Amino acid sequence: MPDIAAHLALIFDGINIWAALGVTFLAGLMRGFAGFGSAMLMAPIFAMLFGSADMVVTVVAIELIVSFQLFPQVRHQADWKLLTPMSIAACAAMPLGVWLLANVDKNAIITSVSAVIVFFVVIMWSGWRYKGRRSQPATILVGAISGAMMATTSVGGPPVLLYLLSGNDPPQVNRANIVTYYFLTQFLLIAIVMASGVAGVTALIRAAILLPVMVLGAWVGGRAFQGIGNEQLYRQVALTILFATGVFGLVRGFFMA
């Protein structure tokens, strides 16, 4: 009990946790509505507030529980033939990402995450789509890149999103595939990062505090999505917020360099 009290005192010291609560609710809205974007929103801000290693554990732990909430609603719409090899490749590449997390400067990680987010949003806004065939080697490569990125930055979504959104699948299928991919990969990531010792139990306690806010936001976002079926609307809402977050992280990284 004294240890938990010490962790709580550390978490609630200063205004960081209150800023994190607001960011988490907004991230939940995005996750519930669009099926993606929450980690990309939280990662650069949480890295600034808590450090890069704690950021990864906090973000992924929150995302994992929200995946439990959303997965039962979408599992029958997911393309399991595509997602299974992609998820296996992602998990196999995670140890490399954890090594980078332990050895790369915090500010470099914040800047890298922000750059990835801005690059991803610009590509999405340009209308570019991956035109190649969804072959098994391509699927495995995308999964491996995503897994390494996820372990280093908690943001492994961009390569997978660009790959999954390249086809002509309806919004419901795209959303189901994205939610399911996160659900299948986040279990192992939490275990690897915690076992490596680069982050402690404080990150998990912080995630437990932020979780109800995330769940509430995801529930509100999910309710808003029902019946809309408008692919352009649900993309633009998420992409606009992500772009602003990425630019903020880049500007912050420039001044901190």
Side-chain angles (χ1 to χ4, degrees):
M1 184 66 69
D3 288 340
I4 294 178
H7 287 301
L8 289 174
L10 177 63
I11 290 170
F12 282 98
D13 182 27
I15 65 172
N16 287 357
I17 189 64
W18 306 110
L21 286 167
V23 171
T24 301
F25 181 74
L26 184 57
L29 288 175
M30 293 176 63
R31 182 69 185 278
F33 183 73
F36 72 93
S38 51
M40 284 185 273
L41 177 62
M42 290 187 290
I45 298 175
F46 281 14
M48 296 174 204
L49 296 176
F50 310 125
S52 52
D54 273 18
M55 171 272 291
V56 169
V57 174
T58 300
V59 170
V60 174
I62 294 172
E63 291 275 310
L64 178 58
I65 303 302
V66 175
S67 293
F68 272 108
Q69 178 191 17
L70 297 175
F71 177 68
Q73 307 169 20
V74 303
R75 66 183 187 278
H76 297 302
Q77 297 171 309
D79 184 351
W80 287 92
K81 186 177 180 181
L82 177 72
L83 293 173
T84 300
M86 183 186 293
S87 301
I88 292 172
C91 292
M94 285 176 184
L96 171 61
V98 172
W99 182 86
L100 291 171
L101 175 65
N103 291 279
V104 175
D105 177 70
K106 167 190 169 181
N107 193 58
I109 289 179
I110 294 173
T111 302
S112 298
V113 173
S114 301
V116 167
I117 293 170
V118 170
F119 179 69
F120 165 76
V121 173
V122 169
I123 287 179
M124 294 295 290
W125 269 338
S126 73
W128 181 88
R129 291 192 180 215
Y130 170 76
K131 301 297 183 183
R133 188 169 62 91
R134 284 182 179 176
S135 63
Q136 183 136 317
T139 300
I140 291 172
L141 177 61
V142 169
I145 294 172
S146 171
M149 288 175 58
M150 193 184 302
T152 306
T153 66
S154 83
V155 179
V160 171
L161 291 167
L162 291 173
Y163 189 62
L164 293 178
L165 296 174
S166 63
N168 296 314
D169 296 323
Q172 290 80 3
V173 173
N174 284 328
R175 180 172 177 264
N177 284 337
I178 294 164
V179 170
T180 301
Y181 173 75
Y182 286 131
F183 179 79
L184 294 175
T185 55
Q186 288 166 335
F187 289 101
L188 184 60
L189 179 54
I190 286 282
I192 291 176
V193 175
M194 293 300 294
S196 72
V198 298
V201 69
T202 300
L204 289 177
I205 296 175
R206 183 184 296 113
I209 293 169
L210 297 175
L211 174 62
V213 178
M214 181 72 164
V215 171
L216 175 61
W219 180 82
V220 174
R223 297 280 292 185
F225 177 84
Q226 292 176 6
I228 291 180
N230 186 322
E231 183 178 11
Q232 291 304 314
L233 175 61
Y234 97 82
R235 285 190 189 188
Q236 293 307 317
V237 170
L239 292 177
T240 300
I241 298 172
L242 291 178
F243 182 77
T245 303
V247 170
F248 174 74
L250 286 176
V251 171
R252 186 263 187 196
F254 175 79
F255 284 107
M256 291 294 291

